[in-house]
Amino acid sequence: MPKGKGTLTRRDALVTGAAAVAVGLAGCQEGSQSSQFDESDPLVAHERFGKGGTALTYQTSTFYTPIEEESDQPAAAPALKTQHEAWAENHPDYRIDVNYPAFGQWKNNLLTSAAGGDAPAGSTLDSKWVADFYEYLQPLNDYVEDIDDFFPFVRETAMRDGDLLAAWKYTGCRCLYYRQDVLDTYNDGDPPVTWEELLTVGQDIVENEDMDAYMFQSSTALANLPYFWSSGGTLVDDEGAPVLDQSENRQALVDALGFIRDLVDTGVTPQRVASIEEVEALPREGRAGNLAMFIGNNDQIERNLKNPIQEADEIPDDRWQRWQVAKIPRPADGEHTTGVGGWTEGAFVEGDDGEAAAMKEFIAKFVEPEAMGRYCEAAALLPTRESVFNDSDLYDPDTPYQDRFREFLQDGVARPARPIYSTIASEYVVAIESVVTGQSDPESAAETMITNVNDEYEAS
């Protein structure tokens, strides 16, 4: 998932675009017939995909430019260039004129232009934005094959009334990283499955080893929401209203915060977890041998454990091999869950011929199995189609544990694509900090969070 990938959620910290363009101007360019390009011009450039006379406007991030020297993710740029060249060759009468909006204003400006009937033909969308655009996004069913091949969380979030409204092009997941050699000693080699088992094993490790037993990034809601979800909690209803004040959801929240408090009270997790903010902090401690287990993103094997995080890192290069991955521990009577993120693509132009068909076919290419596999392999991301995991010709990264990540994605829960989620996330982080530092007990922290979330929703 991009920064905060996890989904940061990695994608929540996308670098601002290179050319912030007012969204309200985007729709005015559709249908332009002039073309000043000739054989000497590249087929795909940073601000233009194709050379046809009919222009279609499109917004995205510099993470997704196909030009390496302009990209915030240069390793993946060649895969995107191949994809866009294929589209341009098949649509010689069209071109995509690309805008790179400033990230901070992108969503709100896009909503404003969509509501005014002046949206661009297409745009990249954070998966948590999708629900806000349901009434404006155009169905992709006739352009995207085998919709049932997508993981359940994709269909639950990106589909409404049988229509696929967004092409979810990649994802990430959270999981338990654990030292196999340490668990061999303290749990017969098995990772803890339940909260109770984690507390028991963790205390044994703390008492007998010079290391912390278990850590998590306390400043990120998505890394900690699996505790709530696996307790049976739901954040919002179908209309996007918060439902934390319902008895079962309030109890799930108290249980999740209570588990976090138990981790600190037993010493399994040190109180300094409240200051963990950088996504690289925990794999750095793990690589240095100071940590037995932590919650991390799937890409941290490749980015942070296999490779030195700092130039001065003198830890042997094969040290990462002692790390394994497992599902996030759950309450004894709960289900395993994991948080998923990632970015999607959507079309706003109506119809199924001419410009509409050209844009929808451009969007659909992001989720074609070959394009998806090529991009995810290059970017160390996870496909959202199950079948892509099956074909090593499409997807065969040097990152281990792909079969495990695929298994975890079956338990994936997407962030609610509703405006109130940002408040829920920030209040959850505050509640966690207050419990970890002993400022509040789990019940009081939960009540404060529920009150603040409801007040914000009623005021909006």
Side-chain angles (χ1 to χ4, degrees), residues 166-183:
W168 200 323
K169 57 188 179 180
Y170 68 84
T171 191
C173 68
R174 280 72 188 161
C175 62
L176 174 71
Y177 282 90
Y178 67 95
R179 279 268 302 272
Q180 183 65 67
D181 56 328
V182 175
L183 271 295

Side-chain angles (χ1 to χ4, degrees), residues 145 149 365 367-374 385 387-388 394:
E145 296 183 359
D149 184 36
K365 287 199 72 66
V367 292
E368 287 181 356
E370 181 178 357
M372 179 182 288
R374 185 169 52 230
R385 285 184 176 275
S387 66
V388 176
L394 300 180

Side-chain angles (χ1 to χ4, degrees), residues 167-402:
W168 200 323
K169 57 188 179 180
Y170 68 84
T171 191
C173 68
R174 280 72 188 161
C175 62
L176 174 71
Y177 282 90
Y178 67 95
R179 279 268 302 272
Q180 183 65 67
D181 56 328
V182 175
L183 271 295
D184 285 345
T185 301
Y186 294 99
N187 205 43
D188 295 326
D190 297 324
V193 173
T194 65
W195 291 353
E196 182 179 4
E197 189 177 6
L198 174 58
L199 291 167
T200 299
V201 173
Q203 289 177 81
D204 287 345
I205 293 171
V206 169
E207 290 172 3
N208 294 284
E209 300 289 340
D210 185 22
M211 63 172 60
D212 292 322
Y214 177 79
M215 293 281 278
F216 51 88
Q217 190 182 357
S218 61
S219 62
T220 301
L222 192 56
N224 297 285
L225 278 170
Y227 305 141
F228 171 78
W229 287 323
S230 65
S231 298
T234 300
L235 297 174
V236 301
D237 62 19
D238 291 341
E239 304 303 318
V243 291
L244 289 170
D245 55 359
Q246 294 180 3
S247 59
E248 63 273 23
N249 299 325
R250 176 184 279 106
Q251 188 59 54
L253 181 58
V254 171
D255 289 347
L257 293 172
F259 169 61
I260 292 172
R261 185 62 200 172
D262 288 343
L263 288 169
V264 176
D265 285 346
T266 58
V268 172
T269 298
Q271 195 175 64
R272 67 181 179 84
V273 73
S275 64
I276 299 297
E277 296 185 356
E278 294 182 353
V279 70
E280 296 88 359
L282 299 183
R284 181 183 295 118
E285 292 190 25
R287 186 174 168 84
N290 300 324
L291 182 59
M293 296 176 283
F294 69 93
I295 298 299
N297 304 334
N298 62 278
D299 65 319
Q300 288 182 294
I301 282 281
E302 186 70 19
R303 298 182 188 279
N304 303 144
L305 289 174
K306 288 179 66 175
N307 302 307
I309 296 173
Q310 298 172 322
E311 291 297 328
D313 188 344
E314 297 179 354
I315 296 167
D317 288 341
D318 62 352
R319 187 77 67 86
W320 68 269
Q321 296 178 18
R322 60 191 185 180
W323 286 93
Q324 300 295 324
V325 297
K327 294 184 176 184
I328 298 172
R330 55 169 174 77
D333 58 351
E335 301 291 335
H336 285 293
T337 64
T338 183
V340 294
W343 284 67
T344 75
E345 300 286 338
F348 293 96
V349 59
E350 298 182 13
D352 287 299
D353 54 14
E355 297 170 18
M359 176 51 68
K360 291 181 179 181
E361 287 165 4
F362 172 78
I363 296 298
K365 287 199 72 66
F366 284 94
V367 292
E368 287 181 356
E370 181 178 357
M372 179 182 288
R374 185 169 52 230
Y375 174 78
C376 288
E377 181 176 318
L381 299 168
L382 300 179
T384 56
R385 285 184 176 275
E386 289 198 66
S387 66
V388 176
F389 284 90
N390 294 335
D391 193 333
S392 61
D393 290 334
L394 300 180
Y395 181 67
D396 189 22
D398 189 32
T399 307
Y401 316 134
Q402 296 307 305

Side-chain angles (χ1 to χ4, degrees), residues 24-174:
L25 299 178
C28 300
Q29 302 173 29
E30 305 301 345
S32 171
Q33 295 296 319
S34 62
S35 179
Q36 68 272 36
F37 309 106
D38 56 34
E39 292 297 323
S40 65
D41 294 303
L43 186 59
V44 169
H46 178 55
E47 296 181 343
R48 172 186 52 77
F49 309 153
K51 297 193 289 187
T54 300
L56 301 169
T57 54
Y58 169 68
Q59 295 181 354
T60 192
S61 163
T62 48
F63 258 92
Y64 310 120
T65 175
I67 308 304
E68 288 186 60
E69 55 268 27
E70 301 283 354
S71 178
D72 296 313
Q73 190 177 232
L80 291 171
K81 187 175 183 181
T82 297
Q83 173 183 321
H84 296 337
E85 286 176 341
W87 174 86
E89 289 169 355
N90 289 328
H91 298 82
D93 295 332
Y94 296 92
R95 72 175 186 274
I96 305 290
D97 284 349
V98 189
N99 296 330
Y100 295 92
F103 183 70
Q105 293 78 45
W106 185 359
K107 177 189 175 184
N108 288 340
N109 286 346
L110 187 57
L111 271 173
T112 298
S113 63
D118 201 27
S123 180
T124 304
L125 303 163
D126 192 335
S127 56
K128 67 180 181 180
W129 299 355
V130 171
D132 292 327
F133 290 89
Y134 280 154
E135 63 182 295
Y136 310 116
L137 290 167
Q138 299 302 306
L140 300 169
N141 302 49
D142 292 339
Y143 303 87
V144 175
E145 296 183 359
D146 197 6
I147 291 174
D148 289 340
D149 184 36
F150 288 100
F151 283 102
F153 67 86
V154 174
R155 301 194 300 272
E156 291 167 5
T157 303
M159 294 189 72
R160 278 297 177 271
D161 300 324
D163 288 331
L164 180 69
L165 299 177
W168 200 323
K169 57 188 179 180
Y170 68 84
T171 191
C173 68
R174 280 72 188 161

